[in-house]
Amino acid sequence: METLIIIVFLAGYLAITLEHNLKIDKLIPALAMMAILWAIIALTHMDVFEVNAELRELEPTHIDEILLHHLGKTAEILVFLLGAMTIVEIIDYFDGFATIKGYIRTRSKRKLLWLFSILAFILSAIIDNLTATIVLITILQKVINDRNTRLWFAGMIIISANAGGAWSPIGDVTTTMLWIADKVSAGQLVIHVLIPSIVCMVVPTLIAGRFKAFQGLIDGELDEEAPKSKYGSTMLYLGLGAIVFVPFFKTITHLPPYVGMMLSLAVVATFAEIYSNKKFNISNVGDGEHSSEGHHSPVHSSLSKIELPSILFFLGILLAVAALESLGMLFHYAESLNEAIPNTDIVVMLFGVGSAVIDNVPLVAASMGMFGEPLDSPLWHFIAYSAGTGGSMLIIGSAAGVVAMGMEKIDFFWYLKKIAWLALVGFVCGAVAFILLRDFVLHG
């Protein structure tokens, strides 16, 4: 039966990668694969397990319990994502991103490449790589008209956002997992991973800067008009501030991040409705024919623009991988890898490569079950780096890539051909920087 499980997973994965060839949206094979995998487990009464990280062993459980557990973990990510995407759309409703766009005074593609890469690196550490990617691609769509050029920029944003998320405890789901599980502390994570992450971002950007795609000037003149709404700047700073507030809320209350995101969304939505009502009332003074029916809620409008196919795709992928994890396959694979390759550095780098193929969350969960090292062991910092940046090597290897794929309709094989090798070079250079920093500076 395990062979059948693997065949179904590989078939579903192949259908996702061949989305444009098959003319079938990627969410369809993702959802079908997830449902079929769990159906096989249920119908054949296969044993399911939960990974006990402390005892480093698999504990038998019931399918209803483990499915509910994985659904809960997945829902936390999806609800967080829904909140972040809605806030971004509300900012866009008031044309808030025109404020950032107004700071862009250069038409040089190379300068824009560095500007977006640095912004992605910094923003992803503050508001997580997923939200940073949503924000920057939204701005990108307003600055660059040519779609082919925009695809190149989107690819570099994914690499930079994932690199920026790796050194911050709130920058990526996997670093947050390690932080919550007391494997790393925020201070030591920054000390160990910041420089390797910078290397991982800078090297691909330096190489890409020489490509033809980043030579010359962008088409057309930069639009320097003021935001359409006088509340644009206010909503931009309020929206980004609300997202930044989420980790503070989590630290104070110890509640999952999505709870804080929902509170932030409620606050941003309240101001959006107030400002929208003011605008509506002012524009309709003395006009008796207009009624409240002509007023559109900015919250409803923003929710209607959310990329729901990406949300459902994420649901399918995460729960499909959860099926493999529940059967103990990932755990046993990680253990056998550790026995076959005694050098843990190579094992961790293979985790990084593996996180590009399947979701990095269960890989990190499996690694937490494999190793029993204490808090702030360099091993955990290396896992945080590898899992965070390795996902850039395939467009569906990270949350940032999945969202960018949905927003810009990026082809899987285009990314594989044009961007993947740049991500690999950055990943390897950053890994070498981490090992040198660890062995000769921090623990020499």
Side-chain angles (χ1 to χ4, degrees), residues 373-392:
E373 270 68 14
L375 172 70
D376 279 330
S377 164
L379 175 72
W380 297 121
H381 298 127
F382 199 16
I383 288 173
Y385 167 81
S386 293
T389 60
S392 303

PDB file of all heavy atoms in Angstrom, residues 373-392:
ATOM      1  N   GLU A 373      19.518  17.536  19.770  1.00  0.00           N
ATOM      2  CA  GLU A 373      20.432  18.587  20.212  1.00  0.00           C
ATOM      3  C   GLU A 373      19.716  19.627  21.079  1.00  0.00           C
ATOM      4  O   GLU A 373      18.523  19.879  20.906  1.00  0.00           O
ATOM      5  CB  GLU A 373      21.060  19.283  18.996  1.00  0.00           C
ATOM      6  CG  GLU A 373      22.356  18.653  18.511  1.00  0.00           C
ATOM      7  CD  GLU A 373      22.155  17.267  17.903  1.00  0.00           C
ATOM      8  OE1 GLU A 373      20.990  16.910  17.625  1.00  0.00           O
ATOM      9  OE2 GLU A 373      23.132  16.552  17.718  1.00  0.00           O
ATOM     10  N   PRO A 374      20.462  20.274  21.995  1.00  0.00           N
ATOM     11  CA  PRO A 374      19.853  21.254  22.915  1.00  0.00           C
ATOM     12  C   PRO A 374      19.539  22.584  22.231  1.00  0.00           C
ATOM     13  O   PRO A 374      19.846  22.784  21.054  1.00  0.00           O
ATOM     14  CB  PRO A 374      20.941  21.447  23.978  1.00  0.00           C
ATOM     15  CG  PRO A 374      22.226  21.160  23.255  1.00  0.00           C
ATOM     16  CD  PRO A 374      21.891  20.078  22.261  1.00  0.00           C
ATOM     17  N   LEU A 375      18.940  23.499  23.001  1.00  0.00           N
ATOM     18  CA  LEU A 375      18.606  24.831  22.515  1.00  0.00           C
ATOM     19  C   LEU A 375      19.837  25.527  21.934  1.00  0.00           C
ATOM     20  O   LEU A 375      20.918  25.486  22.506  1.00  0.00           O
ATOM     21  CB  LEU A 375      18.046  25.669  23.676  1.00  0.00           C
ATOM     22  CG  LEU A 375      17.817  27.170  23.425  1.00  0.00           C
ATOM     23  CD1 LEU A 375      16.652  27.382  22.464  1.00  0.00           C
ATOM     24  CD2 LEU A 375      17.567  27.908  24.734  1.00  0.00           C
ATOM     25  N   ASP A 376      19.650  26.155  20.784  1.00  0.00           N
ATOM     26  CA  ASP A 376      20.669  26.954  20.104  1.00  0.00           C
ATOM     27  C   ASP A 376      21.899  26.157  19.653  1.00  0.00           C
ATOM     28  O   ASP A 376      22.973  26.728  19.471  1.00  0.00           O
ATOM     29  CB  ASP A 376      21.115  28.144  20.973  1.00  0.00           C
ATOM     30  CG  ASP A 376      20.132  29.298  20.885  1.00  0.00           C
ATOM     31  OD1 ASP A 376      19.486  29.442  19.829  1.00  0.00           O
ATOM     32  OD2 ASP A 376      20.009  30.050  21.868  1.00  0.00           O
ATOM     33  N   SER A 377      21.725  24.861  19.476  1.00  0.00           N
ATOM     34  CA  SER A 377      22.781  24.094  18.818  1.00  0.00           C
ATOM     35  C   SER A 377      22.897  24.615  17.383  1.00  0.00           C
ATOM     36  O   SER A 377      21.874  24.890  16.737  1.00  0.00           O
ATOM     37  CB  SER A 377      22.420  22.599  18.801  1.00  0.00           C
ATOM     38  OG  SER A 377      23.233  21.906  17.875  1.00  0.00           O
ATOM     39  N   PRO A 378      24.123  24.768  16.845  1.00  0.00           N
ATOM     40  CA  PRO A 378      24.289  25.256  15.466  1.00  0.00           C
ATOM     41  C   PRO A 378      23.510  24.424  14.442  1.00  0.00           C
ATOM     42  O   PRO A 378      23.140  24.926  13.384  1.00  0.00           O
ATOM     43  CB  PRO A 378      25.800  25.137  15.226  1.00  0.00           C
ATOM     44  CG  PRO A 378      26.404  25.226  16.579  1.00  0.00           C
ATOM     45  CD  PRO A 378      25.424  24.564  17.512  1.00  0.00           C
ATOM     46  N   LEU A 379      23.245  23.158  14.787  1.00  0.00           N
ATOM     47  CA  LEU A 379      22.484  22.291  13.880  1.00  0.00           C
ATOM     48  C   LEU A 379      21.109  22.877  13.593  1.00  0.00           C
ATOM     49  O   LEU A 379      20.665  22.899  12.443  1.00  0.00           O
ATOM     50  CB  LEU A 379      22.328  20.898  14.504  1.00  0.00           C
ATOM     51  CG  LEU A 379      21.437  19.918  13.722  1.00  0.00           C
ATOM     52  CD1 LEU A 379      22.142  19.471  12.450  1.00  0.00           C
ATOM     53  CD2 LEU A 379      21.068  18.724  14.576  1.00  0.00           C
ATOM     54  N   TRP A 380      20.431  23.375  14.631  1.00  0.00           N
ATOM     55  CA  TRP A 380      19.080  23.938  14.454  1.00  0.00           C
ATOM     56  C   TRP A 380      19.130  25.199  13.598  1.00  0.00           C
ATOM     57  O   TRP A 380      18.235  25.442  12.786  1.00  0.00           O
ATOM     58  CB  TRP A 380      18.439  24.241  15.806  1.00  0.00           C
ATOM     59  CG  TRP A 380      18.229  23.040  16.667  1.00  0.00           C
ATOM     60  CD1 TRP A 380      18.730  22.820  17.921  1.00  0.00           C
ATOM     61  CD2 TRP A 380      17.463  21.874  16.345  1.00  0.00           C
ATOM     62  NE1 TRP A 380      18.335  21.600  18.396  1.00  0.00           N
ATOM     63  CE2 TRP A 380      17.555  20.985  17.445  1.00  0.00           C
ATOM     64  CE3 TRP A 380      16.728  21.475  15.235  1.00  0.00           C
ATOM     65  CZ2 TRP A 380      16.932  19.746  17.477  1.00  0.00           C
ATOM     66  CZ3 TRP A 380      16.105  20.238  15.248  1.00  0.00           C
ATOM     67  CH2 TRP A 380      16.204  19.390  16.356  1.00  0.00           C
ATOM     68  N   HIS A 381      20.176  26.005  13.778  1.00  0.00           N
ATOM     69  CA  HIS A 381      20.314  27.221  12.978  1.00  0.00           C
ATOM     70  C   HIS A 381      20.549  26.877  11.503  1.00  0.00           C
ATOM     71  O   HIS A 381      20.027  27.563  10.619  1.00  0.00           O
ATOM     72  CB  HIS A 381      21.464  28.082  13.514  1.00  0.00           C
ATOM     73  CG  HIS A 381      21.248  28.549  14.913  1.00  0.00           C
ATOM     74  ND1 HIS A 381      22.173  28.348  15.923  1.00  0.00           N
ATOM     75  CD2 HIS A 381      20.203  29.191  15.501  1.00  0.00           C
ATOM     76  CE1 HIS A 381      21.711  28.849  17.052  1.00  0.00           C
ATOM     77  NE2 HIS A 381      20.519  29.365  16.821  1.00  0.00           N
ATOM     78  N   PHE A 382      21.317  25.815  11.268  1.00  0.00           N
ATOM     79  CA  PHE A 382      21.582  25.394   9.888  1.00  0.00           C
ATOM     80  C   PHE A 382      20.305  24.850   9.252  1.00  0.00           C
ATOM     81  O   PHE A 382      20.033  25.081   8.065  1.00  0.00           O
ATOM     82  CB  PHE A 382      22.696  24.345   9.861  1.00  0.00           C
ATOM     83  CG  PHE A 382      23.353  24.192   8.510  1.00  0.00           C
ATOM     84  CD1 PHE A 382      23.202  25.153   7.519  1.00  0.00           C
ATOM     85  CD2 PHE A 382      24.136  23.083   8.238  1.00  0.00           C
ATOM     86  CE1 PHE A 382      23.813  25.015   6.272  1.00  0.00           C
ATOM     87  CE2 PHE A 382      24.758  22.931   6.993  1.00  0.00           C
ATOM     88  CZ  PHE A 382      24.585  23.906   6.016  1.00  0.00           C
ATOM     89  N   ILE A 383      19.500  24.127  10.043  1.00  0.00           N
ATOM     90  CA  ILE A 383      18.214  23.623   9.542  1.00  0.00           C
ATOM     91  C   ILE A 383      17.293  24.798   9.199  1.00  0.00           C
ATOM     92  O   ILE A 383      16.616  24.793   8.170  1.00  0.00           O
ATOM     93  CB  ILE A 383      17.547  22.690  10.586  1.00  0.00           C
ATOM     94  CG1 ILE A 383      18.309  21.349  10.651  1.00  0.00           C
ATOM     95  CG2 ILE A 383      16.075  22.442  10.245  1.00  0.00           C
ATOM     96  CD1 ILE A 383      17.851  20.425  11.756  1.00  0.00           C
ATOM     97  N   ALA A 384      17.286  25.839  10.057  1.00  0.00           N
ATOM     98  CA  ALA A 384      16.466  27.026   9.795  1.00  0.00           C
ATOM     99  C   ALA A 384      16.878  27.679   8.476  1.00  0.00           C
ATOM    100  O   ALA A 384      16.021  28.057   7.664  1.00  0.00           O
ATOM    101  CB  ALA A 384      16.600  28.026  10.944  1.00  0.00           C
ATOM    102  N   TYR A 385      18.199  27.789   8.256  1.00  0.00           N
ATOM    103  CA  TYR A 385      18.696  28.384   7.011  1.00  0.00           C
ATOM    104  C   TYR A 385      18.321  27.535   5.794  1.00  0.00           C
ATOM    105  O   TYR A 385      17.778  28.037   4.803  1.00  0.00           O
ATOM    106  CB  TYR A 385      20.224  28.567   7.070  1.00  0.00           C
ATOM    107  CG  TYR A 385      20.802  28.880   5.701  1.00  0.00           C
ATOM    108  CD1 TYR A 385      20.753  30.171   5.198  1.00  0.00           C
ATOM    109  CD2 TYR A 385      21.344  27.869   4.902  1.00  0.00           C
ATOM    110  CE1 TYR A 385      21.230  30.457   3.924  1.00  0.00           C
ATOM    111  CE2 TYR A 385      21.824  28.148   3.630  1.00  0.00           C
ATOM    112  CZ  TYR A 385      21.763  29.443   3.150  1.00  0.00           C
ATOM    113  OH  TYR A 385      22.224  29.715   1.883  1.00  0.00           O
ATOM    114  N   SER A 386      18.617  26.236   5.885  1.00  0.00           N
ATOM    115  CA  SER A 386      18.405  25.344   4.732  1.00  0.00           C
ATOM    116  C   SER A 386      16.933  25.223   4.356  1.00  0.00           C
ATOM    117  O   SER A 386      16.575  25.307   3.180  1.00  0.00           O
ATOM    118  CB  SER A 386      18.979  23.954   5.030  1.00  0.00           C
ATOM    119  OG  SER A 386      20.382  24.004   5.129  1.00  0.00           O
ATOM    120  N   ALA A 387      16.089  25.010   5.348  1.00  0.00           N
ATOM    121  CA  ALA A 387      14.654  24.852   5.069  1.00  0.00           C
ATOM    122  C   ALA A 387      14.041  26.149   4.558  1.00  0.00           C
ATOM    123  O   ALA A 387      13.153  26.141   3.704  1.00  0.00           O
ATOM    124  CB  ALA A 387      13.927  24.390   6.331  1.00  0.00           C
ATOM    125  N   GLY A 388      14.538  27.285   5.085  1.00  0.00           N
ATOM    126  CA  GLY A 388      13.990  28.573   4.681  1.00  0.00           C
ATOM    127  C   GLY A 388      14.381  28.990   3.277  1.00  0.00           C
ATOM    128  O   GLY A 388      13.569  29.538   2.531  1.00  0.00           O
ATOM    129  N   THR A 389      15.643  28.746   2.900  1.00  0.00           N
ATOM    130  CA  THR A 389      16.137  29.227   1.603  1.00  0.00           C
ATOM    131  C   THR A 389      16.094  28.162   0.510  1.00  0.00           C
ATOM    132  O   THR A 389      16.036  28.498  -0.675  1.00  0.00           O
ATOM    133  CB  THR A 389      17.588  29.735   1.732  1.00  0.00           C
ATOM    134  OG1 THR A 389      18.430  28.653   2.175  1.00  0.00           O
ATOM    135  CG2 THR A 389      17.683  30.879   2.733  1.00  0.00           C
ATOM    136  N   GLY A 390      16.106  26.887   0.888  1.00  0.00           N
ATOM    137  CA  GLY A 390      16.118  25.806  -0.101  1.00  0.00           C
ATOM    138  C   GLY A 390      14.857  25.756  -0.946  1.00  0.00           C
ATOM    139  O   GLY A 390      14.889  25.328  -2.103  1.00  0.00           O
ATOM    140  N   GLY A 391      13.740  26.229  -0.367  1.00  0.00           N
ATOM    141  CA  GLY A 391      12.472  26.201  -1.088  1.00  0.00           C
ATOM    142  C   GLY A 391      12.450  27.074  -2.331  1.00  0.00           C
ATOM    143  O   GLY A 391      11.585  26.915  -3.195  1.00  0.00           O
ATOM    144  N   SER A 392      13.417  27.999  -2.455  1.00  0.00           N
ATOM    145  CA  SER A 392      13.461  28.892  -3.621  1.00  0.00           C
ATOM    146  C   SER A 392      13.811  28.154  -4.903  1.00  0.00           C
ATOM    147  O   SER A 392      13.595  28.675  -6.002  1.00  0.00           O
ATOM    148  CB  SER A 392      14.490  30.011  -3.388  1.00  0.00           C
ATOM    149  OG  SER A 392      14.202  30.740  -2.229  1.00  0.00           O
TER     150      SER A 392
END
